[in-house]
Amino acid sequence: MPTDEQVMEALRGVDDPELGRSIVDLGMVRRASAKRGAVDLEIGIPIEGAPDAAELENAIREALSGLEGVKSIDARFTTMSEDERHALSDRLRPWGDGQARVNPFTDSRTRVLAVSSGKGGVGKSSITTNLSIALAQRGHQVAALDADVWGFSMPRMLGVDRPPSIVGELIVPPRAHGVRLISMGFFTDEDQPVIWRGPMLHKALEQFLTDVWWGEPDYLVIDMPPGTGDISLSMAQFLPRAEVIIVTTPQVAAQRVAQRAAGMADKVRLSVVGVVENMSWFTGDDGKRYEIFGSGGGADLAHDLGVELLGQIPLVPALREGGDDGHPIVVAAPDSEAAQAFAGIAARVDEMGPRRIAHPELKIL
Ligand SMILES: Nc1ncnc2c1ncn2[C@@H]1O[C@H](COP(=O)(O)OP(=O)(O)OP(=O)(O)O)[C@@H](O)[C@H]1O
Ligand SMILES: [Mg+2]
């Protein structure tokens, strides 16, 4: 028959799905006893009606089923009190009592990918969404930041249907398809235009990085706003190790603007690591590829910048539909040509590994 200590030891190996840490270390196990093989548990969950409670219960049952002599498991889930939540946030937050908050990304092993372009509507948000999931599908911990504070679209595209949870002093991002997301969309009313002035915006972006429980993801993928304004400057300041991925369409005009984004990256000393060409072709019912927006823009831009063309994404109605209803194509149709293209880009980004490429000789037209 297992002892109370053995039950506790087995629970130590269970991570809270929301917070990604051991439920024992997080102080979530309120009671764990075992009498004649009957295990009786009380688990304190930080957030009322936590959407991941079922996932947690399954993980607990699985961990205990490995213990010999367990006959039954009675697990009760109760919501933590305000004091308990604060104690939990003290355990989670990376800064100590009375210390200044820290930005976890300046000095961590997390690779930061900033998806940019010089022009709107080329598919940055779609690419951020699908690339994030494709990286998660490769087994990585992935977080996404929707830095497009005016035109936020990632909550809808990723299919996130709930706001972040507040645990003590920390904001815990919701997850969808294995990706944690923070977006200005969670903090504003969709119908109200957001009017942010420079300093406020800077502060808001900083809070996204410091007050949010990110865990320690392998990747942070950022949907940058179109253009090269205040936000890009702030992001570069907060995330000096960010690697820029430029999105362009095959036509030369789009390539010009994408080049501007590259110029911006250069100015703020972020390294461009690659180009993704979007809307490269449309495959008709006849099986032929139609290059609706021309061809060669991505390859030319990559060549001019001295970086790789990481991939080409075809124009497919399913990609737009998946973005509209929160079922991104890499999840909805993983075998499709577009999903495979995202998988290829994720693989390539992984292979490249973190690096900084300096191009002092680079001249932006
Ligand atoms: N390869 C594609 N095939 C079909 N539709 C696409 C493709 N890429 C993007 N779209 C659609 O084009 C529209 C614009 O894409 P998206 O919102 O990703 O671009 P964006 O660069 O983030 O735009 P914005 O500058 O407005 O933020 C969306 O409706 C999206 O679903
Ligand atoms: Mg967008």
Side-chain angles (χ1 to χ4, degrees):
M1 298 291 158
T3 61
D4 294 2
E5 288 71 35
Q6 284 170 327
V7 169
M8 204 61 163
E9 221 23 67
L11 292 176
R12 194 173 292 281
V14 176
D15 286 348
D16 177 67
E18 188 94 32
L19 302 169
R21 289 227 189 138
S22 160
I23 56 172
V24 173
D25 296 345
L26 289 173
M28 290 168 61
V29 180
R30 288 177 156 156
R31 190 179 65 243
S33 69
K35 283 203 190 74
R36 290 186 292 280
V39 176
D40 182 27
L41 299 176
E42 188 181 339
I43 308 293
I45 48 174
I47 300 135
E48 198 166 353
D52 296 325
E55 196 181 331
L56 178 56
E57 181 162 0
N58 286 338
I60 288 173
R61 287 188 183 277
E62 195 175 318
L64 294 180
S65 68
L67 274 186
E68 223 181 286
V70 171
K71 291 198 182 107
S72 64
I73 301 165
D74 184 19
R76 281 212 305 144
F77 292 83
T78 45
T79 310
M80 286 183 166
S81 68
E82 198 52 37
D83 283 350
E84 285 174 304
R85 266 200 284 271
H86 275 282
L88 176 63
S89 95
D90 285 349
R91 286 197 192 99
L92 288 173
R93 67 194 163 131
W95 61 92
D97 265 338
Q99 271 182 332
R101 307 196 157 192
V102 292
N103 164 358
F105 297 111
T106 47
D107 189 27
S108 72
R109 61 182 186 85
T110 304
R111 276 181 73 187
V112 180
L113 307 176
V115 179
S116 313
S117 76
K119 175 176 128 165
V122 296
K124 283 181 308 300
S125 304
S126 306
I127 284 164
T128 306
T129 301
N130 285 287
L131 177 59
S132 300
I133 302 172
L135 286 165
Q137 287 171 339
R138 293 176 61 78
H140 295 297
Q141 296 283 338
V142 181
L145 173 60
D146 183 357
D148 193 348
V149 296
W150 292 285
F152 49 82
S153 51
M154 283 200 67
R156 186 173 43 79
M157 280 192 184
L158 194 60
V160 171
D161 51 7
R162 62 197 166 93
S165 328
I166 309 293
V167 175
E169 290 177 49
L170 290 171
I171 299 167
V172 180
R175 288 182 315 161
H177 309 298
V179 175
R180 288 178 194 280
L181 174 71
I182 279 295
S183 167
M184 192 63 97
F186 297 140
F187 306 101
T188 51
D189 185 341
E190 196 148 359
D191 304 321
Q192 296 282 317
V194 187
I195 304 162
W196 294 98
R197 280 174 292 113
M200 259 166 82
L201 197 56
H202 191 76
K203 190 79 208 130
L205 290 171
E206 188 173 27
Q207 276 186 354
F208 275 4
L209 297 173
T210 57
D211 293 0
V212 170
W213 164 247
W214 292 106
E216 206 188 327
D218 301 305
Y219 285 98
L220 173 68
V221 191
I222 308 176
D223 184 7
M224 299 291 279
T228 53
D230 290 350
I231 299 177
S232 308
L233 286 167
S234 294
M235 292 314 284
Q237 203 175 322
F238 296 137
L239 300 165
R241 294 183 308 115
E243 303 168 52
V244 178
I245 292 176
I246 308 244
V247 180
T248 186
T249 55
Q251 82 228 71
V252 174
Q255 186 204 333
R256 270 271 148 73
V257 238
Q259 225 155 5
R260 248 189 256 150
M264 180 65 183
D266 200 48
K267 206 154 62 187
V268 297
R269 303 196 159 280
L270 294 181
S271 55
V272 177
V273 295
V275 171
V276 172
E277 185 184 87
N278 189 23
M279 310 187 187
S280 298
W281 59 78
F282 175 78
T283 306
D285 289 340
D286 54 6
K288 259 203 247 157
R289 281 184 177 180
Y290 294 90
E291 292 173 328
I292 297 171
F293 296 119
S295 69
D300 286 351
L301 178 61
H303 177 264
D304 288 354
L305 298 174
V307 298
E308 237 177 87
L309 177 62
L310 297 169
Q312 293 173 289
I313 314 288
L315 185 71
V316 274
L319 198 153
R320 184 192 51 74
E321 287 154 19
D324 286 348
D325 64 12
H327 296 100
I329 195 154
V330 290
V331 178
D335 296 327
S336 63
E337 190 186 18
Q340 289 297 311
F342 283 114
I345 295 169
R348 194 58 208 121
V349 168
D350 250 356
E351 264 166 32
M352 279 167 30
R355 60 178 176 170
R356 292 190 65 102
I357 313 164
H359 288 290
E361 77 290 355
L362 188 70
K363 285 267 184 307
I364 302 300
L365 303 175

